[in-house]
Structure formats: C-alpha cells, structure tokens
Amino acid sequence: MKKNILLILIGVIAISITTKISAQTKPATLKGQFLNVTKDSLLFQIVFKGNSSKPLDITLNENKAFEIKQELKRPGFYVLTTMKGAYDLYLEPGKTTQFSMDVETTNPSKNVLGNSAFLIPNNPTLKFSGDLIKENTFINKHKTEELMDAYCFYQFVSKDKLNDATLYKEKVTKIYNEQLNVLNEFVTNNPGLHKDFVYLKQQFLEFKKVSMLSWYEMRTDHYFKQKTKNIPTDYYDFKDTYDYNNEFLFASNDAYTEFLAIESRDADWKKAVAKIDKMFTNQEFKNKFLTNLRFNFSEIEKPEAKALFEALKTKITNKEYLKKVEESYANSLLVAEGAPVPNFTYNDVNGKKVSLSDFKGKFVYIDFWATWCAPCKAEIPFLKKLEKKYHDKDIVFLSISSDQSISAWKKMVASEKLGGVQVNIEGDRTLMDFLSISGIPRFTLIDKEGKIVRASAPRPSQERELAILFAISSVNK
C-alpha cells in the first residue's frame, strides 16, 4: 500500500529590527530530488509565508525531482515537512537552494534530550548544493529552536518540577546564549556569509527566548495545579523593550507573532478582546488576534459562543478573517453536545484498522497528541492513572497521534508503554478539522452512541473537572 507524503514548505522568516534588508524582489530558486520514492507517491504543497498564502502544488518529474522559483523581497527560513520528518531550508532572493534526500532511509530518532519525547529528524542522506550549502547544512545540524522549546518546558518544568521563576529565567537565558554562541562561532569560521543570514537567526532566537519566558507562569500553573508564586517584580521587564506593532516582524517572523499571541491571550474571552484592543494600534494586528479567538467557540457554552461571535463580527474589518470566524462558529454548532461524530478509521501500531464504530456501546475518551508535543507528554502519567482507575468501566481510551514520523510514534508507544488504543492519522485531518482542533493536546469525550459529550473535555491532569464530567455523563456506571 502506497502512502502519500505531504511536503509543506512553511516560511518562518525572522528579521532584525535594526538591520535594513534589501526590499528588491528577485526570484529564489528551490530544487529538490528524492530517492527511493515513486513519482505518484508524493504530494507537494508549498506555502511561502509573507509572500503568498495560496498553496503552490508541485509535481515531480521523471527523475523524482522538482524546481520552483518564487519572488522574494528578503531572505527567509522555511520548513520542509514530510511524513518522515521536518527539515529547515534557507532561501535568498537571486540564489539557488538545492537538496537531495533518500526518503526511505530517513531516521527521525536523534534523541537530543535523553527523552523519547523529543526526537529531532536526523537524515544522513540530506545533502545540499547550490549557492547556500553552508547555511542550510548548519541549520539542519543545529535544531536550536526546537531544543529550546522542548527542553525549557519538559525538562525544567514538568520533569524537574522547577517552580522557581528566577532559576527558570536563568536557565532559559543560558540556553539562548549557548545557541547564540554556536551561531557566532559558525559565522566566525565561515567568512563571507550573507549578513542577513546572521540577523535572521539572531532575531528568531531572540523571540523564541522571550516566548519561552512569557509562557512560564501559565504553564507552571497548569503543571503544579496552583498559582505560581514568587514571580520577581522584574521578571517581565523584557516585555517593555519590544514593539507590539512592528509590521515588518509581524509579516515575516513567526516567533514574533507567537510572542504577541501569548501576550494577548486570556482564559476569559472578554478580557482577551480588551487586551487586543489595548495592545495593538494596527487594525490588521487586531484582526489577526481577534480571529484567533474563534477557537474558543467549541470550548465554551453556546450562549457565550454566540456572544463572542457577535463581538468579533463588530470588531474584525478584514473580510477573509471574518469568513474564518463565521465558518468556525458554524462548525462549532455542529460539534455541540449531542452531535454525531462521523465514523473514522485509522491504523494502530500493528497496522490494524480501528474505527469509531468498533466502540459502539462504550464511551470513548480521545487524546489528540504527538511525540514532539511537550504538554502532551506531561499528560501521560495522568492518562495512565485514569486508564487504571476506569479499566473496568465501559470506556475506551483512544490516543490519536498526528505524528508525521510513524517510526518515532511507534517507538514512543513502546518505550513509554502507552496503554489504551493507539492510532495515527497518517496525514488525514478530517476528524481534527471536524472538531476544529488547532492545537494539541486536545481531549474529546464521545458517548456510547457515538455522539459528542464534550468536544473539548478536561485533560487527565484536570482530575477534579474530569471526574465531574465522567460522573454526570454516567461513565462511572
């Protein structure tokens, strides 16, 4: 059976605030060739962030290769995603980036943290040629952003129970400085690199660092089940040094937009709307982050969802954003309590097909997760405890992985001795789209007739809230 491999090139351009980068448009050329993969087993979709939001479909030629040209105003970092793993690419206007890779020998099992939760794709057959060999080889050898993101939260907060904001900030800063030193050493040893490459890497690291610092209080509150204490008065001083309305960064730096998203969020949607109004003077900024609130529709009660919808309609001025809000609201009505869930079928770790219809007559508690998701990993001990507690009840614990690397997923299922029923979507997002899932972990409870009890159910770690839901839903009987 042939498996489709979806490759998505997503731009994650990072630009220095103080550095002037040429705005002259020139074509950037990307050439790629894949070995040991038949032509019809590949599907390509290229998305250039900041240049065109419309996906560009790519077809391989008889040599299993492709070549595309895209007009770019500035250099940028992009991500090439396959079913076997994700790989970074660096493009410059007027330059050619070329690579070859043996898809079948991809080995996404490089363990960067001594923990199976964080497997960084490591493909020894990925080779670069063309104008930007050194840059592309470097960024694929040093997966610095992923390491910072994963290490800071899983290792320090979840695993080591680090409930000390000062120490956490020191360690995040230490990792950032180490990564910056690696970059600086590379630049020193490779004279002649384009200056923009350095600025791009520096700014992406900078905003990844401040995003990690900004996440601390919210995530530790979740892990420790209590309000984080002893936050130093100067902990958040770094926030005052950044411009919340930088149009250049907004259009090109996803670490910057991640930082803005963190700063503008609130569990209470009314407070979130007020924050967005206060933070942003640029209406397009407001449009984007107000639109993000549409993901709350499926997580709040119907009257509140309707009130939020009406509020967003009056504040969002961009027609495309407003259309997304309208579609999300309409879809949230479809996944309300009592709505039937379309039947789905996925393969388990042994290749056996598993369908929702197999569990008719039982409740189904679904965990949407992935091996690279640190918050997902933090839920594992609680999920195991939950499975043990309800092992003799009419409930199935179904874990649905969205991992693109099937081997990494199977390895973690085995190494962590995960229970319940383990399946992988293998690129089929139909169920996730139906439930409007934009981020993981996400948990959903389905009743014995295959109807929704709660589209966004409490996590296993939210023991009290989940126990109440199970009780009122008669899961305990």
Side-chain angles (χ1 to χ4, degrees):
M1 176 181 176
K2 295 179 180 178
K3 296 180 179 179
N4 285 336
I5 299 178
L6 177 64
L7 292 98
I8 304 177
L9 188 60
I10 305 175
V12 288
I13 310 174
I15 307 295
S16 169
I17 300 176
T18 58
T19 303
K20 293 183 179 180
I21 295 180
S22 174
Q24 183 178 1
T25 299
K26 292 182 179 180
T29 302
L30 175 63
K31 298 180 179 181
Q33 182 173 31
F34 295 89
L35 307 177
N36 290 329
V37 181
T38 59
K39 179 179 178 181
D40 59 355
S41 68
L42 281 172
L43 293 177
F44 285 79
Q45 190 179 57
I46 310 298
V47 179
F48 292 88
K49 181 179 178 182
N51 294 278
S52 173
S53 59
K54 184 178 180 180
L56 177 64
D57 294 328
I58 301 299
T59 302
L60 294 180
N61 61 26
E62 63 275 9
N63 297 317
K64 307 182 185 71
F66 71 91
E67 177 178 340
I68 60 173
K69 293 181 182 293
Q70 178 71 18
E71 293 291 326
L72 297 180
K73 290 184 178 180
R74 48 191 176 269
F77 293 101
Y78 298 81
V79 178
L80 177 67
T81 303
T82 78
M83 292 294 287
K84 297 285 187 176
Y87 306 93
D88 295 328
L89 296 174
Y90 170 68
L91 306 181
E92 282 184 14
K95 297 292 182 68
T96 297
T97 297
Q98 187 168 350
F99 70 90
S100 64
M101 181 171 64
D102 187 329
V103 176
E104 292 305 312
T105 61
T106 302
N107 178 23
S109 59
K110 181 181 178 183
N111 197 323
V112 297
L113 297 179
N115 184 284
S116 57
F118 307 111
L119 302 174
I120 301 302
N122 178 30
N123 188 339
T125 71
L126 178 60
K127 304 295 181 182
F128 290 96
S129 57
D131 300 319
L132 304 165
I133 300 174
K134 292 181 179 179
E135 293 89 338
N136 279 292
T137 301
F138 173 79
I139 61 178
N140 279 280
K141 181 179 179 181
H142 300 282
K143 296 283 187 175
T144 53
E145 293 81 28
E146 293 91 337
L147 182 57
M148 177 185 289
D149 199 348
Y151 192 70
C152 290
F153 281 104
Y154 185 83
Q155 202 77 349
F156 296 162
V157 177
S158 178
K159 184 177 179 181
D160 295 340
K161 305 300 182 186
L162 178 59
N163 195 6
D164 186 319
T166 299
L167 184 57
Y168 174 77
K169 188 174 184 178
E170 290 175 356
K171 290 192 174 185
V172 170
T173 303
K174 180 175 182 292
I175 293 176
Y176 163 77
N177 288 331
E178 289 172 350
Q179 295 177 356
L180 193 58
N181 288 338
V182 170
L183 173 62
N184 291 336
E185 181 180 358
F186 173 71
V187 173
T188 300
N189 294 334
N190 293 276
L193 293 172
H194 196 296
K195 63 178 182 179
D196 292 344
F197 173 82
V198 182
Y199 291 125
L200 292 169
K201 288 296 293 182
Q202 287 175 338
Q203 288 302 304
F204 193 83
L205 287 174
E206 175 70 18
F207 282 104
K208 178 60 70 173
K209 177 189 70 175
V210 297
S211 292
M212 295 302 98
L213 293 177
S214 296
W215 270 120
Y216 175 75
E217 193 169 356
M218 183 180 299
R219 291 192 177 179
T220 49
D221 287 353
H222 170 71
Y223 288 132
F224 300 126
K225 305 297 180 298
Q226 61 185 14
K227 188 68 176 176
T228 306
K229 300 178 181 179
N230 303 320
I231 301 293
T233 55
D234 62 348
Y235 179 87
Y236 292 110
D237 282 356
F238 63 88
K239 295 183 179 181
D240 298 329
T241 64
Y242 300 108
D243 177 10
Y244 289 98
N245 290 275
N246 189 306
E247 294 182 18
F248 194 45
L249 291 176
F250 178 79
S252 59
N253 185 336
D254 73 333
Y256 176 71
T257 55
E258 177 187 359
F259 173 62
L260 296 183
I262 295 169
E263 292 305 293
S264 62
R265 66 182 294 160
D266 195 285
D268 184 331
W269 69 263
K270 294 178 181 178
K271 292 182 179 179
V273 169
K275 275 188 178 182
I276 292 170
D277 275 337
K278 182 178 181 181
M279 282 179 60
F280 305 118
T281 57
N282 186 301
Q283 183 59 43
E284 279 307 296
F285 284 40
K286 291 184 179 183
N287 286 337
K288 175 178 175 59
F289 294 107
L290 286 170
T291 300
N292 287 347
L293 295 180
R294 74 188 189 278
F295 298 120
N296 290 5
F297 289 145
S298 61
E299 300 183 5
I300 56 181
E301 299 296 328
K302 282 186 179 180
E304 281 295 290
K306 182 174 177 56
L308 171 58
F309 176 59
E310 295 298 332
L312 295 180
K313 284 201 302 182
T314 62
K315 291 181 174 292
I316 296 174
T317 60
N318 183 292
K319 291 183 179 179
E320 290 186 10
Y321 281 134
L322 188 56
K323 182 179 179 181
K324 291 182 179 180
V325 170
E326 292 171 341
E327 290 175 348
S328 294
Y329 180 65
N331 191 63
S332 72
L333 300 179
L334 297 176
V335 298
E337 181 179 347
V341 178
N343 191 40
F344 54 82
T345 301
Y346 300 124
N347 292 325
D348 68 9
V349 291
N350 298 312
K352 179 182 177 182
K353 294 188 180 300
V354 176
S355 301
L356 175 62
S357 57
D358 297 338
F359 308 122
K360 188 172 183 180
K362 293 185 177 182
F363 285 92
V364 182
Y365 183 64
I366 303 178
D367 170 17
F368 293 92
W369 73 296
T371 60
W372 45 261
C373 169
C376 298
K377 299 292 91 194
E379 293 295 327
I380 288 179
F382 299 99
L383 182 57
K384 288 182 176 180
K385 181 180 178 182
L386 191 67
E387 291 170 350
K388 184 177 180 180
K389 180 178 179 181
Y390 289 90
H391 75 279
D392 59 346
K393 305 299 182 183
D394 286 334
I395 184 170
V396 173
F397 293 92
L398 175 63
S399 294
I400 300 180
S401 166
S402 54
D403 277 290
Q404 295 174 322
S405 172
I406 302 300
S407 59
W409 164 61
K410 289 182 177 180
K411 183 175 181 179
M412 177 167 291
V413 170
S415 64
E416 297 291 337
K417 298 180 180 179
L418 301 183
V421 180
Q422 301 287 333
V423 299
N424 189 290
I425 67 171
E426 298 184 70
D428 181 1
R429 284 189 51 91
T430 304
L431 176 62
M432 296 181 72
D433 290 342
F434 172 76
L435 294 170
S436 298
I437 296 177
S438 60
I440 54 176
R442 171 76 173 269
F443 294 84
T444 297
L445 182 62
I446 299 174
D447 69 14
K448 295 181 178 182
E449 299 300 319
K451 297 179 180 180
I452 293 174
V453 175
R454 189 73 60 82
S456 182
R459 300 180 180 187
S461 60
Q462 297 173 299
E463 295 174 321
R464 182 175 179 278
E465 295 90 337
L466 189 57
I468 292 174
L469 177 62
F470 279 10
I472 62 177
S473 304
S474 302
V475 174
N476 297 334
K477 294 183 179 179

